[in-house]
Amino acid sequence: MMDKKIKLVLSYDGSIYHGWQIQQNAFTLQAVVEDRLEKMLGVPVRVFASGRTDAGVHALEQVAHFTTSSPMDPETLCKGLNALLPEDILVKQASYVSADFHARYSVRTKAYEYRILNADAPDIFQRNYLWHIRRRLDIGKMRRCLSTLVGCHDFSSFKSAGSENRNPVRTIHRAELFSGNDGLIRITIEADGFLRHMVRNIVGTLVEVGRGKMTATRFVEILESGDRRLAGPKAPARGLFLVTVNY
Amino acid sequence: MMDKKIKLVLSYDGSIYHGWQIQQNAFTLQAVVEDRLEKMLGVPVRVFASGRTDAGVHALEQVAHFTTSSPMDPETLCKGLNALLPEDILVKQASYVSADFHARYSVRTKAYEYRILNADAPDIFQRNYLWHIRRRLDIGKMRRCLSTLVGCHDFSSFKSAGSENRNPVRTIHRAELFSGNDGLIRITIEADGFLRHMVRNIVGTLVEVGRGKMTATRFVEILESGDRRLAGPKAPARGLFLVTVNY
């Protein structure tokens, strides 16, 4: 039987998981998905995602692939998997892809969204999907800072200390802030790739500006400095969503 | 020190609780609220709510009261309680009320909302707050059935078997269905009171009509029959919200 490659589009609520990537003695999304795939296909399956997401981070559309010799068609596999998966993981789509597709290496761009609730009262029903900030944020200043990120930059200032030592240059195609009447602020960043904790470090620093603790000029200086120690604290994981992966 | 009566407006996510009302060996909302109040005030406190909510049922605005000799003002109490309460319970407001106010006996009307997601795909992030129904529902028929409920009726057909044997006559002031493009259906019912599981039994039967398993005429017959055995199955708790309590 010839091996086929199947692409999965997954949505998940990362609240109770120790992130995507499989680890010894940790409850991870990858481990759960691989376990259910093994139940469906009868053999162990290794799943490759577009990238890891951290503990508590969610995905509207994560993409992953695996290779199988099973004759089961993608649609049947999708339904079967959803019947086996817990309620906080959903396979939105399964389809055949060509042998040269790779969920991680074929990525063209990825987009993340960060959600902030800027209001007096928290929204208890959205508590795992928002960063609740009481103090009124200066949206205009935050937007100006965001716009300076677009383009090709060395993002060393916004990578986490423990991140792998690879090329820190990334190209941001889109960096936008949407603000609603209900206090909901959505920050969307699309780039050809992200350094470890990059979105959360950017948002944490943006919020320092929004709170008036840092000037917009200082934000630009931090970006240009390449020095992580100057940036603001990392925003909480719970507000972050992997929104789309483009190939 | 003269005793004062304090009214609380509470919002809670009922997902992990065994309902509002305190019970032996069960994790209930009332037990948690009373425990935190005791921590604040230094003495045991009994809290009276407008009514119990069942396991898994939520509240946007539940109302409760208690009596205390503490000089602590309501605003301080509110902030202190919120600092002690878990993230799924919020005190939205605390205020003094007159001695003749009673959270349960002074109720004029209460409103519940039931949320259905009528779409192919579930919303995993709202899984505890919706009843997900794949099959397309006939909204027009459901609306017609709802409208027949308005007014004064014997609701015995829609009370649960184990409910207390009290007067089954209630007056429904408002029974509406809102349907959005995203498949979200919200059913709002306001009445002078509700029998046990009344909203969930009504919604479960409405959905039978929406699914085409029951005619609208049959729905009216069931209401008039007073026979619980004729009604549809009870809708799941997770879609139900206590929205407001009016005094």
Side-chain angles (χ1 to χ4, degrees):
Chain A
M1 193 83 69
M2 219 178 75
D3 275 7
K4 280 157 291 189
K5 213 172 225 184
I6 294 185
K7 173 187 166 194
L8 300 175
V9 180
L10 296 153
S11 182
Y12 51 78
D13 177 339
S15 301
I16 65 168
Y17 295 92
H18 284 83
W20 168 266
Q21 188 161 292
I22 217 158
Q23 295 167 60
Q24 283 286 341
N25 306 318
F27 184 60
T28 67
L29 288 148
Q30 187 186 354
V32 171
V33 172
E34 289 186 354
D35 175 77
R36 301 310 190 276
L37 266 176
E38 181 171 346
K39 284 197 171 67
M40 287 289 291
L41 301 172
V43 289
V45 180
R46 176 96 312 179
V47 172
F48 298 87
S50 73
R52 60 178 78 176
T53 50
D54 293 321
V57 174
H58 318 292
L60 298 184
E61 292 196 356
Q62 167 71 289
V63 175
H65 81 260
F66 65 94
T67 304
T68 179
S69 60
S70 161
M72 191 181 292
D73 67 286
E75 202 177 325
T76 306
L77 187 95
C78 182
K79 283 189 182 161
L81 264 180
N82 281 330
L84 293 176
L85 283 168
E87 281 194 314
D88 51 8
I89 307 178
L90 176 74
V91 181
K92 295 181 80 170
Q93 201 194 313
S95 53
Y96 289 124
V97 278
S98 62
D100 61 352
F101 176 85
H102 192 287
R104 183 169 167 201
Y105 301 121
S106 308
V107 171
R108 204 166 44 78
T109 67
K110 290 165 84 169
Y112 279 94
E113 178 175 296
Y114 197 96
R115 297 185 189 167
I116 293 169
L117 179 64
N118 191 24
D120 286 342
D123 181 341
I124 59 167
F125 301 102
Q126 299 297 314
R127 65 192 180 280
N128 292 327
Y129 316 124
L130 291 169
W131 182 13
H132 176 227
I133 299 175
R134 280 199 173 76
R135 185 199 291 222
R136 183 68 41 177
L137 298 172
D138 186 326
I139 300 297
K141 276 193 189 150
M142 290 170 74
R143 272 216 182 92
R144 281 199 294 283
C145 292
L146 258 182
S147 68
T148 65
L149 298 175
V150 176
C152 186
H153 299 278
D154 177 330
F155 284 98
S156 296
S157 325
F158 296 116
K159 78 175 181 191
S160 270
S163 59
E164 299 158 45
N165 197 4
R166 37 178 191 161
N167 180 6
V169 176
R170 294 289 180 277
T171 299
I172 292 190
H173 298 280
R174 204 158 49 91
E176 294 169 329
L177 186 153
F178 305 93
S179 170
N181 291 332
D182 46 5
L184 186 66
I185 295 172
R186 296 181 300 122
I187 296 165
T188 303
I189 301 181
E190 182 179 350
D192 59 354
F194 292 87
L195 306 173
R196 192 151 172 77
H197 297 157
M198 183 168 141
V199 179
R200 291 164 62 193
N201 287 328
I202 288 173
V203 170
T205 311
L206 270 182
V207 163
E208 294 286 281
V209 174
R211 280 176 161 146
K213 292 188 179 174
M214 186 188 286
T215 63
T217 310
R218 181 72 181 145
F219 183 89
V220 178
E221 282 170 11
I222 289 169
L223 170 62
E224 288 170 354
S225 73
D227 187 349
R228 172 66 187 101
R229 291 166 304 175
L230 303 179
K234 188 171 67 186
R238 52 165 68 177
L240 186 60
F241 291 75
L242 172 56
V243 175
T244 41
V245 187
N246 302 303
Y247 294 94
Chain B
M1 194 85 66
M2 219 177 76
D3 275 7
K4 281 157 290 191
K5 213 172 223 183
I6 294 184
K7 173 188 167 192
L8 300 175
V9 180
L10 296 153
S11 182
Y12 50 78
D13 177 340
S15 302
I16 65 167
Y17 295 93
H18 283 84
W20 168 265
Q21 187 160 291
I22 217 158
Q23 295 167 58
Q24 283 287 340
N25 306 319
F27 184 60
T28 66
L29 288 148
Q30 187 185 355
V32 171
V33 172
E34 289 186 354
D35 174 77
R36 301 309 189 277
L37 265 176
E38 180 171 345
K39 284 197 172 66
M40 287 289 291
L41 302 172
V43 289
V45 180
R46 176 96 315 181
V47 172
F48 298 87
S50 73
R52 60 178 78 177
T53 50
D54 293 320
V57 173
H58 318 291
L60 297 185
E61 292 195 357
Q62 166 72 287
V63 175
H65 81 258
F66 65 95
T67 304
T68 179
S69 60
S70 161
M72 192 181 292
D73 67 287
E75 202 177 326
T76 306
L77 188 96
C78 182
K79 284 188 181 162
L81 264 178
N82 281 331
L84 293 176
L85 283 167
E87 282 194 313
D88 51 8
I89 307 178
L90 176 73
V91 182
K92 295 181 80 169
Q93 201 194 313
S95 53
Y96 288 124
V97 279
S98 62
D100 61 351
F101 175 86
H102 192 288
R104 182 169 168 199
Y105 301 121
S106 309
V107 171
R108 202 166 45 78
T109 67
K110 290 165 83 168
Y112 279 94
E113 179 175 296
Y114 198 95
R115 297 185 190 167
I116 293 170
L117 179 65
N118 190 24
D120 286 341
D123 181 341
I124 59 166
F125 302 102
Q126 299 297 314
R127 65 192 180 281
N128 292 327
Y129 315 124
L130 291 169
W131 183 13
H132 176 226
I133 299 174
R134 280 201 172 75
R135 186 200 289 224
R136 184 68 42 175
L137 298 173
D138 187 327
I139 300 297
K141 276 193 189 150
M142 290 169 74
R143 272 215 183 91
R144 281 200 293 284
C145 291
L146 258 183
S147 68
T148 65
L149 297 176
V150 176
C152 186
H153 299 279
D154 177 330
F155 284 99
S156 296
S157 323
F158 296 116
K159 78 175 182 191
S160 270
S163 58
E164 300 157 44
N165 198 4
R166 39 179 190 161
N167 181 5
V169 175
R170 294 289 181 278
T171 299
I172 292 190
H173 298 279
R174 204 158 50 91
E176 295 170 330
L177 185 153
F178 305 92
S179 170
N181 291 331
D182 47 4
L184 186 66
I185 295 171
R186 296 181 297 121
I187 296 165
T188 303
I189 300 181
E190 182 179 350
D192 60 353
F194 291 87
L195 306 173
R196 192 153 171 74
H197 297 158
M198 183 169 141
V199 179
R200 290 165 63 191
N201 286 328
I202 288 173
V203 170
T205 311
L206 270 182
V207 164
E208 294 286 281
V209 174
R211 279 176 161 145
K213 291 188 180 174
M214 187 189 285
T215 63
T217 311
R218 181 71 182 144
F219 182 90
V220 178
E221 283 170 12
I222 290 169
L223 170 63
E224 288 169 353
S225 74
D227 188 347
R228 172 67 187 102
R229 292 167 304 176
L230 303 178
K234 187 172 66 185
R238 53 164 69 176
L240 186 60
F241 290 76
L242 173 56
V243 174
T244 39
V245 187
N246 301 304
Y247 294 94

